[in-house]
Amino acid sequence: MCGIVGIVGHSYVNQGIYDALTVLQHRGQDAAGIVTCDGDRLYLRKDNGMVRDVFRTRHMRRLVGNMGIGHVRYPTAGSSSSAEAQPFYVNSPYGITLAHNGNLTNAEALAEHIFRADLRHINTTSDSEVLLNVFAHELQSRGKLKPEPNDIFDAVAAVHDRVQGAYAVVAMITGYGILAFRDPHGIRPVCFGRKDTPNGPEYMVASESVALSSLGFNVVRDLAPGEAIYITAEGEMHTRQCAENASLHPCIFEQVYLARPDSIIDGISVYKARLRMGEKLAEKVEREWPDHDIDVVIPIPDTSRTSALQMANHLGVKYREGFIKNRYIGRTFIMPGQQQRKKSVRQKLNAIELEFQGKNVLLVDDSIVRGTTCNEIIQMAREAGARKVYFASAAPAVKYPNVYGIDMPVAQELIAHGRTTDEIGELIGADRLIYQDLDDLVETCKEGNPQVVSFDCSVFNGEYLAGNITPDYLANLEARRSDAAKGDSEKTQALADNEIIDLHNH
């Protein structure tokens, strides 16, 4: 999960990209980067850390230019070195920078082919750099001194033919314009907007609509699966469908957890989808547990608030805020390492004892992934005086690895993998555990946009839409991305010094 932004304007875009990245900070807290273009010169700043920490006044002053792209990252592919922060850059052809949200499932084979056949060198282990070099090679093969929109779109079509997996991409061609495109299954989100100014229209692309609206852009629409849009430096926009047999299968976990509730993704209001999740979950409680003794519904802040409130309303029980959140601790789901996640839960949440003492409490969370957070929170609820602690998940049981850009790579680290609901409830210490049914979850999301063909639900049902996902592939993924593997990798990292780079001179 990452966040991408691109702006073509009539004045400096550095502040706009910075502001958009802060709005998308929830999509990645590991690293951030901005590259801007002023004439034929590029200016890049990227490093590990939150947006507010990576960019200081001295950096912003040097990020000049009327178009640029930005990225916030947490690592699923590659390492956590600051050298792998995005955007990435290649100088041939034209000078191209690229930022990417998703995961390429054939990245290793592509990297080998790039080296041997395309005669390009990959400097990192990031699949985003692989994607950049595939696109750059295909664009260079058109042999044009100046790229025309159809040349760019032909290159994107060739990328679709070579690349497997999920990807939402924003790229900048030095001096010419900004390109955005989406994989043929539309798994990862990206949309674009327009703002009319006295000097003409400005355009923006971003992972979520909230980034556009927060900067005063009118959301035009989501990119269609396989579609590319190209906005010239002069503000002319071109679009083309670049993939055959494209169809929309967005990641349903965006609606459950990843996206902000005030975003609209593929025509679906995330907020309303989460309201419907709460209603469906309440209906399941009434159906399977009609004589429940729940006194109060308490959400695990923040993502589950919407579902929990609607669930309480439907059940006719009290809704209370029982946990106060320290907003300066990152999202534990995307933190590397089990011990770090476990420690951060206690740092992040503090229980209000008055809401727990002597009560039968139903805690509601958006999902249960590794079980670390809910286990610690249930203990906190008991320590605060709860008589019984029930737990409800607005999503079904997460049983399978995610291979499309969410950090759920290792089946053995997923608490629901190979276990029954009762076994999971016992492990997390709940008196009763209730999961959302997958059919109900799909219905709550599809109601927002009936034209969605289906959703990528691979973490729940193990059905992978894009790429040839074999047992060997999953085993290799596990070897590279388990907590243990990440720990070993971090011990050997050599962090690069990433100040502002004038790419014209490199």
Side-chain angles (χ1 to χ4, degrees):
M1 180 180 70
C2 300
I4 58 173
V5 176
I7 301 178
V8 177
H10 297 289
S11 58
Y12 285 178
V13 298
N14 52 352
Q15 187 65 50
I17 297 174
Y18 175 94
D19 292 342
L21 292 181
T22 61
V23 173
L24 296 177
Q25 185 74 84
H26 61 284
R27 299 190 67 88
Q29 301 169 4
D30 178 75
I34 295 175
V35 60
T36 58
C37 179
D38 186 28
D40 64 350
R41 299 174 76 97
L42 296 179
Y43 299 92
L44 170 68
R45 165 66 181 171
K46 62 179 183 175
D47 203 353
N48 279 356
M50 306 277 275
V51 174
R52 64 172 182 260
D53 299 320
V54 170
F55 302 101
R56 302 294 186 182
T57 301
R58 66 181 186 274
H59 304 131
M60 297 297 291
R61 285 176 175 169
R62 296 186 61 190
L63 289 169
V64 297
N66 292 357
M67 65 178 181
I69 63 176
H71 187 265
V72 287
R73 173 187 189 256
Y74 90 101
T76 54
S79 71
S80 59
S81 166
S82 60
E84 303 209 0
Q86 298 183 40
F88 285 110
Y89 169 78
V90 291
N91 61 5
S92 179
Y94 316 115
I96 303 173
T97 49
L98 179 144
H100 158 232
N101 173 32
N103 184 55
L104 307 188
T105 58
N106 64 335
E108 290 188 2
L110 283 171
E112 180 71 16
H113 189 271
I114 286 168
F115 178 72
R116 296 190 179 278
D118 296 352
L119 302 180
R120 287 177 170 269
H121 183 68
I122 304 297
N123 297 302
T124 71
T125 59
S126 172
D127 61 340
S128 301
E129 191 188 10
V130 171
L131 183 57
L132 168 60
N133 277 275
V134 171
F135 171 71
H137 171 79
E138 296 298 339
L139 186 57
Q140 189 172 28
S141 68
R142 269 66 197 165
K144 298 290 186 69
L145 292 176
K146 177 181 178 180
E148 300 295 334
N150 279 335
D151 300 321
I152 295 168
F153 293 144
D154 288 345
V156 173
V159 169
H160 290 325
D161 289 339
R162 294 179 61 179
V163 169
Q164 297 177 0
Y167 46 95
V169 176
V170 62
M172 182 165 61
I173 304 172
T174 306
Y176 293 106
I178 282 180
L179 166 73
F181 59 94
R182 193 178 186 188
D183 74 78
H185 293 87
I187 295 175
R188 300 261 68 87
V190 61
C191 58
F192 72 95
R194 170 179 169 145
K195 179 166 59 177
D196 292 319
T197 74
N199 296 318
E202 297 182 337
Y203 291 94
M204 177 178 175
V205 297
S207 294
E208 296 184 33
S209 63
V210 65
L212 278 64
S213 57
S214 68
L215 268 67
F217 283 79
N218 295 314
V219 179
V220 177
R221 59 178 173 84
D222 299 275
L223 269 69
E227 184 186 20
I229 65 169
Y230 175 59
I231 305 151
T232 68
E234 294 74 33
E236 298 175 354
M237 193 183 78
H238 306 266
T239 69
R240 196 176 100 184
Q241 173 55 255
C242 298
E244 296 181 0
N245 303 317
S247 57
L248 184 58
H249 308 272
C251 174
I252 204 165
F253 216 73
E254 292 280 353
Q255 303 291 333
V256 170
Y257 174 82
L258 301 181
R260 275 182 42 155
D262 43 348
S263 285
I264 297 175
I265 295 181
D266 292 310
I268 303 169
S269 164
V270 177
Y271 174 75
K272 289 187 176 179
R274 290 176 184 170
L275 283 176
R276 293 190 290 267
M277 290 175 204
E279 291 176 1
K280 286 291 185 183
L281 201 51
E283 290 172 4
K284 182 174 182 179
V285 170
E286 291 178 331
R287 183 172 65 249
E288 298 185 358
W289 191 15
D291 58 344
H292 70 80
D293 58 350
I294 301 167
D295 296 320
V296 61
V297 174
I298 293 178
I300 312 301
D302 286 313
T303 320
S304 63
R305 278 198 175 102
T306 309
S307 296
L309 179 58
Q310 194 70 356
M311 193 176 183
N313 289 337
H314 193 94
L315 291 173
V317 300
K318 292 179 181 179
Y319 170 90
R320 291 290 186 268
E321 293 284 343
F323 295 101
I324 300 300
K325 183 177 181 180
N326 178 354
R327 300 185 182 279
Y328 303 99
I329 300 291
R331 301 176 92 176
T332 55
F333 161 60
I334 65 174
M335 284 185 173
Q338 182 77 352
Q339 290 303 316
Q340 186 176 348
R341 285 188 292 269
K342 188 173 181 179
K343 179 182 177 183
S344 70
V345 173
R346 295 276 178 163
Q347 295 174 334
K348 183 170 71 170
L349 297 176
N350 190 52
I352 302 174
E353 293 187 1
L354 290 175
E355 298 297 346
F356 292 92
Q357 289 177 352
K359 297 176 182 177
N360 297 333
V361 178
L362 175 63
L363 302 180
V364 181
D365 207 351
D366 49 73
S367 58
I368 303 172
V369 180
R370 293 172 173 89
T372 308
T373 301
C374 54
N375 179 266
E376 288 292 313
I377 289 172
I378 288 169
Q379 289 186 40
M380 292 171 64
R382 295 195 189 281
E383 292 167 6
R387 185 166 60 243
K388 291 183 180 179
V389 182
Y390 308 121
F391 205 94
S393 168
V398 177
K399 297 182 177 181
Y400 302 96
N402 183 280
V403 300
Y404 300 132
I406 307 175
D407 194 15
M408 301 178 189
V410 181
Q412 284 69 26
E413 292 177 3
L414 304 174
I415 194 170
H417 183 75
R419 294 188 176 98
T420 66
T421 299
D422 289 342
E423 289 172 339
I424 300 164
E426 184 176 351
L427 278 174
I428 66 175
D431 292 298
R432 184 163 186 154
L433 174 61
I434 305 104
Y435 275 113
Q436 185 85 263
D437 291 333
L438 181 54
D439 288 345
D440 287 343
L441 177 63
V442 171
E443 184 180 337
T444 64
C445 297
K446 199 164 187 177
E447 187 176 330
N449 183 3
Q451 295 184 358
V452 174
V453 176
S454 68
F455 291 91
D456 166 51
C457 302
S458 54
V459 298
F460 305 124
N461 59 17
E463 297 176 6
Y464 299 100
L465 299 170
N468 184 23
I469 308 303
T470 65
D472 287 343
Y473 176 87
L474 294 175
N476 183 45
L477 198 71
E478 178 176 341
R480 290 185 289 114
R481 297 195 194 171
S482 67
D483 279 345
K486 288 179 180 177
D488 291 341
S489 176
E490 288 177 1
K491 291 178 183 178
T492 60
Q493 287 301 334
L495 298 181
D497 180 20
N498 286 290
E499 284 299 312
I500 290 288
I501 302 172
D502 180 347
L503 293 175
H504 181 76
N505 297 320
H506 286 69

